[in-house]
Amino acid sequence: MRDQNAKQNDAMRSDGRILECRGIERSFGGLKALKSVDIHVDRGEIFGLVGPNGSGKTTMVNVVTGFYPPNAGSVQLFGQDITGMKPNRVARMGVARTFQNLALFRGMSVLDNILLGRHVHMKPGALPSLFYWLWGAREEIAHRRAAEDIIDFMQLQDIRDEPVEVIPMGLQKRVELARALVAEPRFLILDEPMAGMNQEEKEYIARFILDARDERNVSILLIEHHMDVVTAICDRIVVLSYGEIIAQGEPKAAIADPQVITAYLGERAAARVLQANGGAP
Amino acid sequence: MFYRRAGIRFTRYRDERQIWPLPLDRRLMLLVLLLALAAPYLLDRLYLVGYLLPWLIWATAALGLNLLMGTAGQVHLGYGAVIGMGAYGSVHLVRAGAPLELAMLAGGLISAAVGIVFGAAALRVKGLYLAMATLAMQYIVDFVISHVPFISGGSQATITVPPVRFLGIPIVGDAAVYYMALGVCIVVTLFMLNVRRTAFGRALAAVREKDYAAEVIGVDTFRFKLLAFWVSSFIGGVVGSVLAVCYLRSISPDQFHIELSIQLVAMVIVGGMGSVLGSFFGAALILFAPIVLNNLIGFMADSMDMQISTDLRAHVPLMLYGGLIVGFLLWEPLGLAKIYNNMRNYFLVWPFRHAQR
Ligand SMILES: Nc1ncnc2c1ncn2[C@@H]1O[C@H](COP(=O)(O)OP(=O)(O)O)[C@@H](O)[C@H]1O
Ligand SMILES: [Mg+2]
């Protein structure tokens, strides 16, 4: 295990950068959703991307994963330039992500959804299906083991055969996380994985995120609204507002920045808060 | 009742992923298979050649189209042309002296090759536009077949096929043709059943359900759509060669017009998108409903001494048939297979309805 990690580390650049985005710009029509944003994610880090609704967080992730090629700027992944690369190629490089609005495959069982996460490691084609008994079965079963590992890890045993659309929202989010993790990514991007969850469910997910980083050596980019979670599990954050970085660094310090409070609460309310706390919340 | 799920537990992944995990389903399928094998000895020639054989052939074609429409979610309004290309390709090869095995393979490859060229162009667009693009393919292929004398021998011409052998067995007589069609049908059916439980089928379903989510897990959506076109067209081509070389023993351009494509689409929709069993149901309904309706109306006219004009008599079955398809689209878009499944699920746990899922 240790050996394998060492090898993987060597394969990466010496400074251990997972992601390096420079001067990313992206606009939709006249709207500038991202205005020259620089972010980076280091290996083994849980990096938080924070900001009010519409500040460009999801757009940033879409730029990284290849859905929206940037209008300007460059994206480097594992030391390789991937600007404008197709999403499926980015995924093959070892990036997995979840969506803010779930993107599970309806009509399929939880297990099949998770098995789909193994796609990058499989060789799907018509011939393995035609010669299932000679060829396809062995591959299916090998990957079933990996899927069952994740099902245990994410505690989804009871619902593995349920159609994915009938289970509650919180569990669906967990299934999506499982589908991302089963691909054994090196870099995991989570877009508001706790949206609409209660405290207990949030704690579960936070635990899974920490475990994924510690036990599975995944570096993580986390978009999150819940500040308690962000300060508890992120190593470093960047705060976006209207497509610009307004604060970054250690989570507690960054979200206490007057500009951040203003961005979240608006000018007047922010002024009141800052005054009440004597300028140091 | 007959179906029971209780007490069946699997200890190996392989067992759980069987095509028919329930023993009763397996026994039922074995019975169907035995009946299918014994059919030439059990059935009258009229039923064998007039009903069962076309049913097998068109069900196989519906399976091929269902891979594309049901599993991968891509409309194809030119599948009749796909079948036609395979049919003409293999007929010419057989006439040139090629063995049937090779001609079938080549028929499939011709359809797949032309199909994928159109597919690559058509797949740049989605939904309605894809439908239009495949429709264009239907008309272009139709035109080329009937206007190139080298292929069709002229737009009115019928080309006949010399006797053929398959693996050394002469395909002459009803039984041999029937077993030929049955063999192809079984292979395609098993393939389709396996697709559903392997990574290939999951990837196609992912492309159908949410293309962006498919991309993010590493599925090259364009490539898999093309692959679906390829495989589906290949099956169409093989069916075409069985149809023309073995069953009809002659071929003319008017067999592969748009009407055929529409009928095939109707089979898939009425039977059930993405359902293997549904393709058989759908083919049966589309093939036999007009005949049954026609007989019914004839019977009613005669027995009740009604004066139905021949004109009306010719059109009423067609109208009812159209109504049937609209009815399915409205009330059971998942087709006959879904109706069958609902009944089966009901009996699986009867009388404990709460245990249904
Ligand atoms: N596909 C799109 N087309 C047009 N505008 C978009 C699109 N995606 C995002 N936007 C706009 O870009 C801005 C940033 O959106 P987004 O990245 O989703 O914000 P966040 O995820 O931080 O809430 C918003 O104003 C949004 O309306
Ligand atoms: Mg967002």
Side-chain angles (χ1 to χ4, degrees):
Chain A
M1 192 69 193
R2 188 169 279 271
D3 228 33
Q4 223 178 355
N5 287 347
K7 250 187 232 147
Q8 218 175 38
N9 295 354
D10 288 341
M12 277 174 217
R13 270 183 14 178
S14 49
D15 63 352
R17 278 280 149 91
I18 295 286
L19 177 74
E20 171 104 56
C21 300
R22 286 207 202 90
I24 300 294
E25 290 188 18
R26 172 77 207 199
S27 41
F28 298 104
L31 177 85
K32 283 197 166 172
L34 293 172
K35 305 164 192 160
S36 192
V37 176
D38 300 305
I39 60 167
H40 67 268
V41 177
D42 292 328
R43 191 175 58 248
E45 182 175 56
I46 299 182
F47 170 80
L49 192 55
V50 189
N53 270 331
S55 56
K57 307 181 295 294
T58 302
T59 306
M60 188 68 207
V61 164
N62 281 336
V63 166
V64 170
T65 48
F67 283 98
Y68 299 155
N71 301 127
S74 74
V75 184
Q76 297 222 324
L77 188 72
F78 312 129
Q80 198 181 326
D81 188 46
I82 60 155
T83 320
M85 195 186 261
K86 279 250 160 47
N88 70 73
R89 302 267 319 279
V90 178
R92 286 184 176 277
M93 290 184 65
V95 179
R97 78 172 270 198
T98 64
F99 288 84
Q100 185 172 357
N101 314 308
L102 286 163
L104 290 170
F105 302 108
R106 295 167 59 85
M108 284 192 231
S109 69
V110 168
L111 176 65
D112 278 343
N113 266 279
I114 294 175
L115 277 171
L116 259 169
R118 295 296 295 176
H119 181 89
V120 287
H121 300 288
M122 300 182 81
K123 295 187 186 63
L127 289 179
S129 300
L130 185 58
F131 301 109
Y132 176 82
W133 299 273
L134 303 175
W135 184 348
R138 196 169 327 136
E139 191 187 31
E140 286 295 316
I141 285 157
H143 291 280
R144 175 72 185 267
R145 298 232 154 81
E148 291 290 340
D149 269 355
I150 292 288
I151 287 176
D152 285 347
F153 175 69
M154 301 288 293
Q155 300 167 21
L156 296 166
Q157 296 92 335
D158 296 344
I159 54 162
R160 67 157 86 68
D161 293 323
E162 301 293 330
V164 79
E165 64 269 18
V166 306
I167 61 176
M169 187 72 169
L171 278 179
Q172 290 190 19
K173 287 233 154 197
R174 215 193 275 183
V175 172
E176 205 185 353
L177 181 53
R179 186 182 71 192
L181 278 177
V182 81
E184 294 169 22
R186 286 192 280 165
F187 182 36
L188 177 63
I189 301 175
L190 304 171
D191 195 349
E192 305 203 15
M194 303 176 201
M197 285 192 176
N198 63 32
Q199 192 61 29
E200 191 190 345
E201 288 171 321
K202 271 160 57 183
E203 277 166 23
Y204 260 110
I205 297 285
R207 196 71 250 162
F208 291 134
I209 293 174
L210 287 170
D211 284 351
R213 192 255 312 257
D214 297 338
E215 292 171 18
R216 294 171 184 269
N217 303 305
V218 192
S219 310
I220 294 166
L221 189 161
L222 173 69
I223 296 181
E224 193 43 69
H225 259 319
H226 300 99
M227 286 307 165
D228 50 340
V229 179
V230 170
T231 48
I233 68 173
C234 290
D235 300 313
R236 197 166 55 79
I237 67 169
V238 157
V239 187
L240 283 181
S241 175
Y242 295 109
E244 280 172 307
I245 295 180
I246 53 169
Q248 58 184 315
E250 198 276 322
K252 279 211 176 69
I255 62 170
D257 190 292
Q259 262 190 295
V260 176
I261 296 174
T262 312
Y264 267 95
L265 299 179
E267 300 267 351
R268 299 256 293 287
R272 263 204 312 280
V273 171
L274 289 172
Q275 215 164 28
N277 291 331
Chain B
M1 275 299 288
F2 310 105
Y3 286 113
R4 285 289 147 152
R5 182 142 53 193
I8 296 169
R9 291 278 178 274
F10 300 105
T11 51
R12 299 189 318 167
Y13 294 139
R14 203 172 180 132
D15 295 341
E16 194 202 352
R17 284 264 155 169
Q18 287 172 98
I19 296 179
W20 298 289
L22 301 189
L24 206 121
D25 283 333
R26 286 202 292 276
R27 274 177 232 141
L28 195 64
M29 288 323 294
L30 191 66
L31 182 69
V32 171
L33 181 68
L34 290 177
L35 283 177
L37 286 173
Y41 306 99
L42 301 176
L43 285 181
D44 204 48
R45 174 166 192 273
L46 171 72
Y47 289 101
L48 187 73
V49 180
Y51 295 94
L52 197 52
L53 194 46
W55 182 41
L56 281 181
I57 292 175
W58 293 118
T60 316
L63 281 170
L65 182 57
N66 217 335
L67 179 74
L68 189 60
M69 280 188 48
T71 311
Q74 310 298 313
V75 207
H76 200 321
L77 294 183
Y79 204 62
V82 171
I83 294 176
M85 288 186 290
Y88 267 99
S90 53
V91 163
H92 281 293
L93 278 168
V94 165
R95 280 165 64 93
L100 177 58
E101 299 85 355
L102 193 75
M104 279 173 69
L105 207 63
L109 288 176
I110 290 169
S111 290
V114 180
I116 207 169
V117 169
F118 277 96
L123 284 175
R124 310 222 165 261
V125 291
K126 279 186 191 168
L128 216 52
Y129 299 98
L130 177 63
M132 293 311 291
T134 53
L135 195 60
M137 166 183 173
Q138 168 77 42
Y139 282 112
I140 293 171
V141 171
D142 263 0
F143 182 85
V144 170
I145 287 181
S146 54
H147 284 78
V148 177
F150 172 71
I151 299 177
S152 59
S155 59
Q156 304 297 324
T158 301
I159 304 176
T160 52
V161 182
V164 287
R165 307 172 145 262
F166 187 77
L167 301 177
I169 304 158
I171 305 293
V172 284
D174 305 332
V177 177
Y178 170 79
Y179 284 125
M180 184 77 212
L182 182 65
V184 172
C185 182
I186 288 176
V187 171
V188 173
T189 305
L190 285 177
F191 169 69
M192 290 290 289
L193 288 169
N194 282 336
V195 163
R196 275 209 309 216
R197 57 176 174 164
T198 48
F200 184 48
R202 285 195 299 271
L204 292 181
V207 169
R208 175 192 70 210
E209 287 299 321
K210 276 198 185 75
D211 49 2
Y212 65 92
E215 281 276 332
V216 90
I217 53 169
V219 179
D220 188 338
T221 46
F222 186 69
R223 188 171 155 258
F224 271 86
K225 283 182 194 170
L226 266 191
L227 209 54
F229 252 85
W230 206 97
V231 177
S232 164
S233 304
F234 184 86
I235 295 173
V238 172
V239 172
S241 58
V242 172
L243 179 78
V245 177
C246 303
Y247 180 54
L248 300 175
R249 311 285 314 277
S250 70
I251 189 169
S252 59
D254 57 346
Q255 290 165 333
F256 306 104
H257 283 336
I258 178 74
E259 291 83 0
L260 176 62
S261 296
I262 302 282
Q263 278 197 320
L264 285 161
V265 170
M267 286 177 193
V268 170
I269 291 174
V270 170
M273 297 269 261
S275 163
V276 173
L277 189 62
S279 302
F280 287 88
F281 288 162
L285 194 82
I286 299 298
L287 283 180
F288 305 134
I291 302 174
V292 173
L293 288 172
N294 208 351
N295 288 346
L296 207 65
I297 286 173
F299 174 76
M300 270 163 47
D302 293 343
S303 62
M304 295 178 203
D305 210 23
M306 279 191 292
Q307 294 299 314
I308 303 180
S309 70
T310 40
D311 206 30
L312 192 61
R313 205 167 141 169
H315 283 103
V316 164
L318 285 179
M319 280 151 61
L320 288 175
Y321 170 79
L324 211 61
I325 293 175
V326 173
F328 267 103
L329 287 176
L330 282 178
W331 289 295
E332 192 51 276
L334 294 176
L336 289 164
K338 177 72 180 164
I339 295 175
Y340 170 82
N341 259 340
N342 289 346
M343 291 198 307
R344 182 172 174 275
N345 285 342
Y346 179 83
F347 285 118
L348 264 181
V349 291
W350 187 88
F352 305 109
R353 188 148 32 133
H354 59 273
Q356 235 177 60
R357 38 175 209 168

